[in-house]
Amino acid sequence: AALAPDMKTLFSVWAACALLPRSSGGSNGPPLTRLPLRKWLRRLLVEVPAQPNPVGGVVLDGGNCTGIELELTEARDLTKNPALPELLYRASNVSMHCRLLLNAGTMMVEFDIIQGVFELGIFVEEFVSMIAPTRPLPLGPVRVSRCALNAEVVNLDFSGGTMPLEDTLLDAFHSFIEDLVDKEIPKVACEDLVPIIEGHGSRALGHLAMKLEPLLEKPRHPSEPHPVVPAVDWGTFPPVRVVQALVAERASQVSALLSRLPVVEVNLGDFDVNFSMQVTSNGVTTRAALESLRLEGLGSLQRHGLLLEGHENKLDLAAGFGQLKVVSHVRLEVQIHTDTASEYAPLWEQLAISVDVSEAAASVRLMALLSQHLFDVMKVDQLQTRECLGACARATVPPWQAPLGLYQLLDFSGAPSIKVDTFGRQEAQFAGLFDATVAALLHGHLPVLQPLIIGGANVARPQLNADIARYLAALPPCGPSMVYEGPGDFVSGALLWVSLGIILLGVALAVVVAQVANEGSAKAEFFDLQQHARNIWAQWGGPDDNGILAKHPVVPPFATVLYPCAAASTVILFVYSDLSIGTIVNLVFTAGGTSTTIGPAFSFSLMTSIYYAWEGGAYCIAFLTAVVSGLWPVVKLLLLLTLWFLPERFCNVHARGDLLRFLDKYGKYSLVDSWLALLAIASYDIDWRSASSDASLTIDPVALPPFFMFVVATVMSLLLGHVGSLYHHAAEDWDSGEPGFERKGQARRLGTLDARLPWVAALLLLTGIAVVAGAVVTSFEIRRSGALADILIDESEETISFSVLSLAMRIARTRTAFPLGLRLLQGIFVLFVLIIPLLLIAAFLILFLAPLRPKAQRYIIICCRVLDAWAAYDVFALAVVVAHFEFGLLAHFLIYYDSLAHICGLVKSTFHTECFRMDCRATPGVIVLIVAAVFSYIFPKVALSLCQDAMDNRDDAAGIQLCAYDDTDDADFEADCEQDIDYEWWEVVEETQFEVGSGDGMSSSGSSR
């Protein structure tokens, strides 16, 4: 495709190579003075020879005629025998001005000839070649069968002489001039013109016949290049097999696309070739130079008129067109050097010779050697550049051989007609003479055109292939791929291993700390819980730490070590995921049981997504990707680490709790980039399969490990937020003197504690119904159009409607790479968008309606907080809304400015249609999705707030007695208290053993939960 403009240019000039000889010198430039036909005829000077015999006592010493004008010219085909074409040329209203010298130059007479009629009849004999005697050419000798000139003399004027002119003498002179015009001038003109026409015409046609004669030889198989490295086998190459099946089965779509082909202009001046012909005969020199070609009618490709086959290192291409037209722009120059005529300046005309071929069909075998190894390792953007394709071809053969070129023109058929167009009325008339002449010559010799064209291609092949070889040799080296592949294997691996190393180090340290604490507790004596806690608080820094959460007594030692390590590991994991390629889109060609993957056509990381979106004008996507998915997760983790170690004097407990709750609620929005990626995967998911073979083409979106690592990092971030919040609430209870122990209460339905809760339960039930409805109802659609979509997709499939469920099902369709990853991706999407929101609703309904003890209710509230923080239904709705407005902008930028920029730009400029266009459009069902998203965002938070208030009010009203250990020795009181309490947050924080060193050197240990 990258070589298409140049290759089709080269292949378009083969006919000219055959018909016009190469000149050793450069092209002849135009003379200083150029005259078109009309002006050239007017300034042409035709000599009138002297007549030695006097006429009426007057001797003609010579003269000349100029100012020739022709008002009307025409040609008639008088052919009776197709083997002997005959034509009659007729020029009417011929006029000129003549001057004659008489009587040894003592007198001069001037007169005008008007209303002249000139007729010239010729016939052309056949040229029989010794190579192919059964295929004669209409290019034999030219014979003149008729030559006649009739005219009227006016404006007779005499000057010079020594004697007065009497009336009788004037009458004699007038009669002499009339006889001269009627008899002598036509005689002289035909005598001079017939040898010129016969000689010059015969020589020109003979020269052309000698050039065409070698074309009649039986085609010979050319010598093949010898590859030095393994080359691509086009017979088994899956992309060729797929294109072959596409052309056969999608003929209507391919024809419709090719019908958009414009006129192809070929400027031969761009090549180091001089296509010219020069013929000199009887003092007349004619030069013709082919300057450019224009190919029209490619859009008339017939249905099933294009075939492609491959075998080894050759490609066979056959095409049939309804009406094909080749227009050759020719520069014509005529110079006259005869004794009987001279010119002021050469004739100079620009001609457009049109060859119309109806029902044209041709098949050609091309030679194409490409290095299999280089082809496999090149990226998709490199395969679109002529430099890299040239390097891939040059590597297969020695430098003196051509890896690409024409191998053989296999067949050609069609009925041609030739027409010459030029500027001006006079020129147009002469062009009509040429058209009639060619038509008469070809009338009985059409069968010979096919071998001539095939032979012309074969004769032109060596020079054409040599030109291609020079062109390939002059190409610069292949440049590096511009496809972003991440920070590199070393950096990516280092980030991943550092993240893993930090978390493993944290686990190891936590195990060591826990083991040390367990060993110390086994040696310690039992202390009451209150004294125990005071010692622990002192050991971890006492009042000087002033409220550091990491050193609070409720935080076990292993968590103090493990928490910051997990946060740091997650930060590095986010950096790895943001820099590395998370999703790619490959082109997978499959045929004959083998597959060829070309790609990535697109590659996405968080950084490249930001760039693509911003440059494409999708500013909202760029902002969400950069801030919400890129910056926000890292900021959240850094804030968690800060709150973990920040003393109370810098952030009080209440502010810390508010900030932790905020981080818990909005951490899930970092998934918006992941949901946008899912929409992109659904958009570019195209899978064409042949109905008659095993050929298939899949545009295959593949989620790579960094994509899943981003989801893992998001989950880790959510978990760290929950753990921080739990320890914060435990610390609040501890600091308030109410460490969370509460009496066992009677089982009650929480919905009975507040009159508003039943209404909230109803709203939550409505939310669940809305979530299910929003998941089932079609809420958006993906529209795909352009040349690629027209060929690969049926019209009924160009627009695909999606609901949440159908999107989840489409993600899991069979793929050629990493199917386990797509299944995992499907599971993540369904879990966060559907299952967790519905579990949240179910948990609330159980909390409201089921008679539960306070302890169980508190556990369920904690679960509801976690589920609310993980429910990403609203995040997906946000992604759909953003995609509606900006997905098309992003897709347009990717198509025309990323890896496929060259080929898609060529398609757009050549066929005047979009290469591929993708839009995401919301349907009326999106209203249900948005309403459900709003409900799922608001009502769970309202329910959490009311439930917490109801439970707090219940505890206050019941006067719950909180037990705390002090220094008393009342065993009865302690036993009674321990029978009536439950452990709430102390149970949440796992069983932990503390070791306390007393001030007097004694050690004691205790165990508590």
Side-chain angles (χ1 to χ4, degrees):
L3 292 176
D6 304 280
M7 295 301 295
K8 68 187 179 185
T9 296
L10 291 171
F11 283 114
S12 299
V13 304
W14 63 264
C17 292
L19 297 178
L20 298 180
R22 290 174 54 86
S23 174
S24 59
S27 61
N28 297 321
L32 297 178
T33 303
R34 292 186 280 180
L35 294 178
L37 178 63
R38 189 178 184 87
K39 291 183 178 180
W40 182 78
L41 285 173
R42 295 188 63 181
R43 298 194 180 192
L44 182 66
L45 189 66
V46 180
E47 299 292 338
V48 178
Q51 297 292 328
N53 300 321
V55 179
V58 179
V59 179
L60 176 63
D61 298 326
N64 57 68
C65 296
T66 187
I68 300 174
E69 291 188 3
L70 305 176
E71 293 297 327
L72 180 62
T73 57
E74 58 180 344
R76 287 188 295 170
D77 186 0
L78 303 179
T79 302
K80 298 177 181 178
N81 181 4
L84 196 66
E86 184 176 359
L87 294 111
L88 176 64
Y89 301 101
R90 189 173 190 274
S92 304
N93 294 331
V94 180
S95 64
M96 66 185 74
H97 180 76
C98 296
R99 296 183 181 89
L100 303 178
L101 294 178
L102 307 175
N103 296 335
T106 59
M107 296 183 62
M108 182 177 69
V109 60
E110 296 186 39
F111 57 91
D112 292 325
I113 297 178
I114 62 173
Q115 297 182 358
V117 178
F118 175 70
E119 291 184 350
L120 178 68
I122 67 168
F123 60 89
V124 181
E125 299 178 2
E126 288 186 334
F127 171 82
V128 180
S129 170
M130 297 297 295
I131 297 175
T134 59
R135 297 173 179 175
L137 300 175
L139 300 175
V142 177
R143 299 289 181 259
V144 176
S145 60
R146 172 179 172 80
C147 182
L149 173 63
N150 298 315
E152 179 182 349
V153 178
V154 296
N155 300 327
L156 186 64
D157 182 50
F158 296 93
S159 62
T162 56
M163 61 179 181
L165 298 176
E166 301 290 340
D167 291 340
T168 56
L169 187 58
L170 288 175
D171 293 339
F173 277 136
H174 195 276
S175 299
F176 166 75
I177 296 300
E178 288 180 345
D179 291 341
L180 184 66
V181 172
D182 291 340
K183 299 178 181 179
E184 298 300 328
I185 289 182
K187 177 182 177 181
V188 171
C190 288
E191 287 178 354
D192 290 341
L193 186 61
V194 168
I196 292 176
I197 291 176
E198 291 184 346
H200 194 72
S202 299
R203 185 183 297 268
L205 293 181
H207 183 80
L208 183 58
M210 296 300 294
K211 289 294 181 182
L212 295 180
E213 184 180 19
L215 308 185
L216 298 175
E217 289 188 87
K218 186 177 180 180
R220 300 176 182 177
H221 292 289
S223 59
E224 299 185 21
H226 302 287
V228 296
V229 297
V232 175
D233 186 351
W234 301 111
T236 59
F237 192 48
V240 172
R241 298 278 300 276
V242 169
V243 173
Q244 181 181 353
L246 274 171
V247 169
E249 297 182 22
R250 309 282 292 179
S252 300
Q253 290 78 4
V254 173
S255 298
L257 178 63
L258 292 179
S259 66
R260 297 174 175 267
L261 276 173
V263 174
V264 178
E265 295 283 354
V266 182
N267 185 8
L268 301 181
D270 296 338
F271 300 89
D272 187 21
V273 178
N274 179 29
F275 301 103
S276 63
M277 180 177 68
Q278 178 173 315
V279 178
T280 301
S281 176
N282 296 338
V284 179
T285 299
T286 302
R287 298 186 186 92
L290 181 64
E291 294 183 328
S292 66
L293 293 173
R294 186 172 73 246
L295 187 60
E296 303 176 2
L298 294 176
S300 66
L301 179 71
Q302 297 176 345
R303 186 178 180 182
H304 299 290
L306 184 65
L307 297 176
L308 177 67
E309 291 184 359
H311 46 89
E312 296 182 350
N313 56 10
K314 302 177 188 66
L315 286 170
D316 289 350
L317 179 64
F321 300 89
Q323 189 72 31
L324 203 59
K325 182 176 183 181
V326 181
V327 181
S328 305
H329 294 276
V330 178
R331 184 181 70 243
L332 178 67
E333 180 182 350
V334 178
Q335 289 181 308
I336 297 180
H337 321 280
T338 66
D339 295 334
T340 58
S342 62
E343 58 187 1
Y344 171 78
L347 169 65
W348 187 272
E349 283 289 348
Q350 293 289 131
L351 306 178
I353 303 176
S354 303
V355 180
D356 289 282
V357 184
S358 58
E359 301 300 325
S363 60
V364 62
R365 177 165 293 173
L366 307 177
M367 178 175 56
L369 280 78
L370 296 180
S371 169
Q372 182 70 65
H373 170 69
L374 291 181
F375 190 91
D376 291 339
V377 300
M378 284 184 180
K379 302 298 181 183
V380 67
D381 60 329
Q382 293 175 310
L383 292 175
Q384 300 173 68
T385 63
R386 64 190 70 184
E387 294 83 5
C388 293
L389 285 177
C392 195
R394 290 195 304 264
T396 57
V397 296
W400 59 86
Q401 293 182 341
L404 303 176
L406 173 65
Y407 184 80
Q408 189 177 5
L409 180 62
L410 301 176
D411 189 22
F412 180 84
S413 61
S417 62
I418 300 178
K419 185 177 185 299
V420 177
D421 294 319
T422 185
F423 298 100
R425 183 172 61 87
Q426 193 81 71
E427 288 81 354
Q429 293 179 5
F430 275 90
L433 300 181
F434 181 85
D435 296 343
T437 302
V438 173
L441 293 177
L442 293 179
H443 179 69
H445 299 83
L446 288 178
V448 79
L449 288 180
Q450 182 184 22
L452 280 177
I453 294 175
I454 295 177
N458 295 328
V459 169
R461 179 183 57 239
Q463 184 59 51
L464 178 63
N465 293 346
D467 291 338
I468 295 175
R470 285 195 297 269
Y471 174 82
L472 293 176
L475 289 175
C478 177
S481 173
M482 301 305 294
V483 175
Y484 179 74
E485 297 181 289
D489 294 338
F490 176 78
V491 176
S492 297
L495 289 172
L496 195 57
W497 282 108
V498 167
S499 175
L500 182 60
I502 290 176
I503 191 65
L504 292 178
L505 177 62
V507 172
L509 291 176
V511 171
V512 171
V513 170
Q515 185 65 29
V516 171
N518 287 335
E519 291 176 358
S521 63
K523 302 176 183 178
E525 297 180 359
F526 176 76
F527 282 89
D528 62 89
L529 183 59
Q530 185 177 17
Q531 184 62 39
H532 190 179
R534 289 171 183 169
N535 292 334
I536 293 298
W537 186 248
Q539 180 185 1
W540 285 90
D544 293 337
D545 291 326
N546 201 17
I548 296 178
L549 182 58
K551 295 186 177 182
H552 198 280
V554 300
V555 179
F558 80 89
T560 303
V561 177
L562 183 59
Y563 189 88
C565 290
S569 174
T570 306
V571 169
I572 297 176
L573 195 59
F574 270 121
V575 175
Y576 160 77
S577 303
D578 293 346
L579 296 180
S580 302
I581 298 298
T583 307
I584 61 174
V585 179
N586 291 327
L587 305 178
V588 182
F589 299 85
T590 303
T594 60
S595 296
T596 297
T597 300
I598 299 178
F602 307 113
S603 59
F604 300 96
S605 69
L606 185 133
M607 303 303 295
T608 59
S609 297
I610 296 171
Y611 170 77
Y612 295 152
W614 185 265
E615 292 295 325
Y619 300 117
C620 188
I621 293 179
F623 173 80
L624 290 175
T625 305
V627 176
V628 179
S629 295
L631 184 62
W632 168 240
V634 177
V635 170
K636 174 189 173 181
L637 291 169
L638 294 178
L639 286 175
L640 288 175
L641 281 174
T642 302
L643 296 175
W644 188 253
F645 292 109
L646 193 66
E648 187 176 349
R649 63 178 179 271
F650 296 110
C651 181
N652 60 51
V653 176
H654 180 72
R656 183 175 67 193
D658 290 341
L659 189 53
L660 285 170
R661 281 190 293 272
F662 176 81
L663 297 178
D664 249 0
K665 290 179 182 178
Y666 299 103
K668 63 183 178 182
Y669 283 93
S670 59
L671 289 171
V672 65
D673 179 60
S674 300
W675 298 162
L676 288 172
L678 286 182
L679 293 177
I681 289 176
S683 303
Y684 292 106
D685 176 27
I686 298 177
D687 188 17
W688 179 83
R689 297 186 179 274
S690 171
S692 59
S693 67
D694 61 346
S696 66
L697 170 58
T698 301
I699 299 180
D700 187 22
V702 180
L704 300 179
F707 179 89
F708 300 102
M709 290 300 102
F710 182 87
V711 178
V712 170
T714 302
V715 173
M716 288 288 295
S717 175
L718 292 172
L719 288 174
L720 289 171
H722 300 327
V723 171
S725 295
L726 287 174
Y727 282 130
H728 166 75
H729 291 307
E732 273 190 319
D733 291 342
W734 179 273
D735 294 339
S736 64
E738 301 176 356
F741 296 102
E742 64 180 43
R743 298 183 182 274
K744 293 183 178 179
Q746 185 179 1
R748 295 184 59 184
R749 288 193 299 270
L750 189 61
T752 61
L753 301 180
D754 191 324
R756 296 172 294 180
L757 290 179
W759 293 102
V760 174
L763 291 175
L764 288 171
L765 182 60
L766 179 62
T767 301
I769 296 173
V771 166
V772 173
V776 175
V777 174
T778 298
S779 53
F780 64 97
E781 61 186 16
I782 302 295
R783 300 176 184 174
R784 298 165 300 180
S785 58
L788 184 61
D790 291 341
I791 292 178
L792 296 179
I793 307 174
D794 292 332
E795 186 175 356
S796 60
E797 296 181 357
E798 290 185 353
T799 300
I800 305 178
S801 299
F802 284 102
S803 64
V804 176
L805 285 177
S806 62
L807 176 63
M809 296 301 295
R810 193 173 184 87
I811 295 173
R813 293 205 315 177
T814 303
R815 292 290 185 274
T816 58
F818 206 14
L820 179 61
L822 291 170
R823 293 292 181 181
L824 181 59
L825 182 60
Q826 179 193 38
I828 292 171
F829 175 73
V830 174
L831 177 66
F832 278 85
V833 176
L834 285 178
I835 296 178
I836 291 180
L838 294 177
L839 286 178
L840 175 61
I841 303 300
F844 272 120
L845 294 178
I846 292 173
L847 182 63
F848 290 159
L849 303 177
L852 302 173
R853 294 183 181 275
K855 174 183 174 180
Q857 291 172 342
R858 288 189 180 276
Y859 277 136
I860 292 179
I861 287 181
I862 293 173
C863 292
C864 289
R865 291 188 186 277
V866 173
L867 292 173
D868 182 54
W870 289 44
Y873 193 93
D874 51 339
V875 181
F876 177 74
L878 174 63
V880 171
V881 172
V882 172
H884 169 79
F885 291 101
E886 296 189 347
F887 234 41
L889 298 174
L890 177 59
H892 182 271
F893 180 83
L894 290 173
I895 290 294
Y896 293 107
Y897 298 95
D898 195 38
S899 301
L900 297 180
H902 185 88
I903 185 66
C904 281
L906 180 64
V907 169
K908 185 174 183 179
S909 61
T910 302
F911 298 102
H912 302 288
T913 185
E914 296 288 344
C915 177
F916 183 75
R917 181 176 179 83
M918 187 277 297
D919 292 290
C920 179
R921 288 288 177 263
T923 62
V926 77
I927 298 176
V928 180
L929 180 69
I930 294 175
V931 170
V934 172
F935 284 3
S936 67
Y937 173 80
I938 294 176
F939 293 148
K941 294 173 177 58
V942 173
L944 281 173
S945 177
L946 292 180
C947 288
Q948 189 63 53
D949 292 343
M951 293 186 68
D952 292 342
N953 294 334
R954 179 197 61 189
D955 293 344
D956 293 341
I960 295 177
Q961 178 181 355
L962 298 176
C963 299
Y965 290 95
D966 56 17
D967 296 331
T968 64
D969 295 328
D970 190 347
D972 295 335
F973 171 81
E974 293 180 7
D976 181 63
C977 184
E978 289 178 353
Q979 293 177 359
D980 295 336
I981 63 174
D982 282 337
Y983 303 100
E984 183 190 337
W985 59 268
W986 207 249
E987 293 177 346
V988 176
V989 178
E990 305 178 2
E991 179 176 358
T992 307
Q993 297 180 348
F994 302 92
E995 178 178 349
V996 181
S998 61
D1000 56 2
M1002 298 177 60
S1003 64
S1004 61
S1005 63
S1007 178
S1008 64
R1009 297 185 64 189

